Amino acid sequence: MKHTRRRVRRGVRFAAVGALVAGGLMVSQSVSNGSVQGAVGGDAPRVLGDRDAGLGGRLETTLGASRTAGSWVGPDGRMVVAVTDEEAAAEVTRAGARPKQVRYSMKELDSAARTLRAAPRVAGTAWMVDPTSNKVVVLGDSTVSADRWSRMKGVASEVGGEVRMERTTGAFTTRTTGAAPIFASGSRCSAGFNVTDGQNGYILTAGHCGPNGTSWFTDTSGKTGIGTTVQSSFPGNDFSLIRYDNRALDQSGVVDVGGGRTVRITGVADPVVGQEVFRSGSTTGLRSGKVTGLNATVNYPEGTVSGLIRTTVCAEPGDSGGPLLAQGVALGVTSGGSGDCDKGGVTFFQPVTKALTALGVTIPGTKTGGAKAGGAPVGPAAGSAAAPGGTGAEDRSLSVDGVVNRLRDLGPGALIIGAGLLGLLSTLTIPGRRRRYRDHYSTGWG
């Protein structure tokens, strides 16, 4: 496990997540006495409606794993469903999605993945079903020797044409060293989402950040305590709960955008392949990318984790546990990956839906019941336009309609971002145009 110590400026006010996500746009918290820097943006995302996001999953369920092989968002924003026969293709077309006829069914691809899991474990490898290519893609990082890679190829050849082998640069590592930084002895991680079991408040973060009993602080000196890890699952999964022992810290289900302003997390969902997503972390700030695979298995040096989300978002040590979001909906927490934010890389995320269900907690202000199939979010609870703050400060939760007005205080750059947000909300897709959003994020966080 990779540990890195970094000096963080004192005077940082702790917040579970330091980013605004609304309509695909995120603006991070400005920390007291901290300068700000830009974060990498990306293409303007198509905002998926409930019908679009859930359509692929519903069709897969209806037609079955023997007749379908996954679904994804196409370049034009339309849902694509892989099918194995012409009758299934006709049903997909009638439902309003675009069919793509493929050779292997999801049942066959899942069987290939099970064969790989049953083989001797090789650290530095990962695999996941790629519905766009109708293959199980096996990745081997730079630490995998030629001999071990050859043995993996032998397993793949026994499976058949369903498997494609690829080498990748860098090494698959957990990203321990985070949105807001949280510190334990010898390491730093990121807080993910505030959650509750109905009685107590917790932080949801990565499981590899620390075992049960780990004490967490807001600073490197250990003067201000946060709480203690009370449930942790790693390897196998990668999630944990930190119980708030410090009642003065914000435990509400909102994200902090600086200046005492917050935006509510509106729901929880599973992502869709091809979906534009955003990740926040204290080492590298705000980054964007796309979902490229689901139900991925990664063989870290510390152990194997399955059921992960694969993305093109970059991450570095210290980003572990940070939130993955889209359109204000919680999707995952950062697990690990390869590469960095200079050259790019692959990053894997623990799905939030699975973690919340396993731990028996919810994000305050969102409806219970997890997510609909295919990534359609569960909406906010009635009357959720405002959320109570846990710090005793004035509650200033923002509705989307008021985002731009509230950003005026943050300066000209924020107003430009606000104008871009209005453009995003006024149309489902902006073809042929690339937009780079330069978002505020404090260097004092990492």
Side-chain angles (χ1 to χ4, degrees):
M1 192 172 296
K2 206 166 183 178
H3 298 286
T4 301
R5 287 183 176 272
R6 292 175 183 264
R7 179 173 296 175
V8 177
R9 299 182 185 184
R10 296 183 182 181
V12 174
R13 187 178 68 82
F14 180 82
V17 182
L20 156 65
V21 183
L25 177 67
M26 298 177 69
V27 180
S28 67
Q29 181 188 34
S30 177
V31 178
S32 58
N33 300 321
S35 59
V36 296
Q37 63 184 23
V40 175
D43 295 343
R46 179 183 185 273
V47 179
L48 293 177
D50 284 3
R51 180 183 180 279
D52 295 319
L55 182 58
R58 289 195 297 271
L59 286 168
E60 290 177 62
T61 300
T62 300
L63 296 171
S66 296
R67 303 178 69 198
T68 61
S71 59
W72 63 94
V73 180
D76 61 353
R78 190 177 176 188
M79 187 62 65
V80 182
V81 181
V83 296
T84 58
D85 61 73
E86 293 183 0
E87 289 184 4
E91 290 189 48
V92 168
T93 300
R94 284 194 295 270
R98 185 168 62 246
K100 179 181 179 181
Q101 200 153 342
V102 296
R103 177 176 179 180
Y104 301 110
S105 68
M106 185 58 70
K107 186 175 181 179
E108 292 171 305
L109 296 175
D110 284 342
S111 176
R114 285 195 297 272
T115 300
L116 292 169
R117 283 196 293 271
R121 178 181 178 275
V122 177
T125 60
W127 55 82
M128 69 294 302
V129 173
D130 176 17
T132 62
S133 66
N134 195 225
K135 299 281 186 179
V136 175
V137 180
V138 179
L139 301 176
D141 69 17
S142 59
T143 68
V144 180
S145 67
D147 180 60
R148 288 190 171 187
W149 188 242
S150 178
R151 277 183 276 168
M152 287 290 293
K153 283 185 174 180
V155 175
S157 64
E158 293 177 6
V159 173
E162 301 99 307
V163 180
R164 184 176 79 240
M165 307 286 288
E166 293 182 5
R167 294 302 297 255
T168 185
T169 58
F172 294 135
T173 62
T174 52
R175 297 316 205 193
T176 307
T177 75
I182 53 177
F183 300 90
S185 177
S187 68
R188 174 166 65 86
C189 272
S190 294
F193 300 95
N194 278 335
V195 297
T196 180
D197 62 4
Q199 295 181 331
N200 299 303
Y202 305 87
I203 297 170
L204 176 66
T205 189
H208 69 261
C209 287
N212 290 350
T214 302
S215 297
W216 294 95
F217 303 88
T218 64
D219 51 18
T220 55
S221 64
K223 290 183 178 179
T224 305
I226 298 171
T228 306
T229 300
V230 292
Q231 291 190 60
S232 181
S233 181
F234 178 82
N237 301 301
D238 197 359
F239 54 75
S240 65
L241 279 183
I242 299 172
R243 184 189 61 227
Y244 274 110
D245 296 329
N246 187 340
R247 302 283 181 175
L249 299 177
D250 186 359
Q251 300 179 36
S252 60
V254 296
V255 291
D256 197 329
V257 297
R261 299 174 176 86
T262 57
V263 171
R264 179 181 294 277
I265 296 295
T266 60
V268 179
D270 290 316
V272 178
V273 173
Q275 181 178 3
E276 188 88 7
V277 291
F278 293 85
R279 173 200 59 75
S280 183
S282 69
T283 300
T284 56
L286 178 67
R287 303 286 168 164
S288 67
K290 291 186 177 181
V291 175
T292 54
L294 304 174
N295 199 27
T297 295
V298 184
N299 293 299
Y300 295 122
E302 300 86 1
T304 300
V305 181
S306 298
L308 300 178
I309 303 163
R310 181 194 179 196
T311 74
T312 61
V313 188
C314 69
E316 295 181 7
D319 289 331
S320 276
L324 180 73
L325 312 102
Q327 288 91 50
V329 176
L331 301 174
V333 293
T334 307
S335 176
S338 65
D340 56 39
C341 288
D342 291 326
K343 299 178 181 178
V346 175
T347 302
F348 299 92
F349 296 85
Q350 167 69 54
V352 164
T353 53
K354 182 178 180 180
L356 296 180
T357 299
L359 296 168
V361 294
T362 60
I363 296 176
T366 61
K367 291 182 180 179
T368 59
K372 300 177 184 177
V378 171
S384 62
T391 60
E394 176 189 2
D395 172 42
R396 305 178 71 182
S397 295
L398 306 182
S399 65
V400 172
D401 292 337
V403 168
V404 175
N405 288 334
R406 295 294 183 88
L407 287 175
R408 182 175 287 110
D409 294 339
L410 297 181
L415 287 176
I416 294 173
I417 293 173
L421 173 59
L422 289 179
L424 280 177
L425 297 178
S426 66
T427 178
L428 289 179
T429 181
I430 308 176
R433 299 182 65 183
R434 293 181 59 85
R435 294 189 177 187
R436 307 285 288 181
Y437 295 104
R438 190 163 182 80
D439 305 313
H440 291 294
Y441 205 95
S442 172
T443 56
W445 284 18

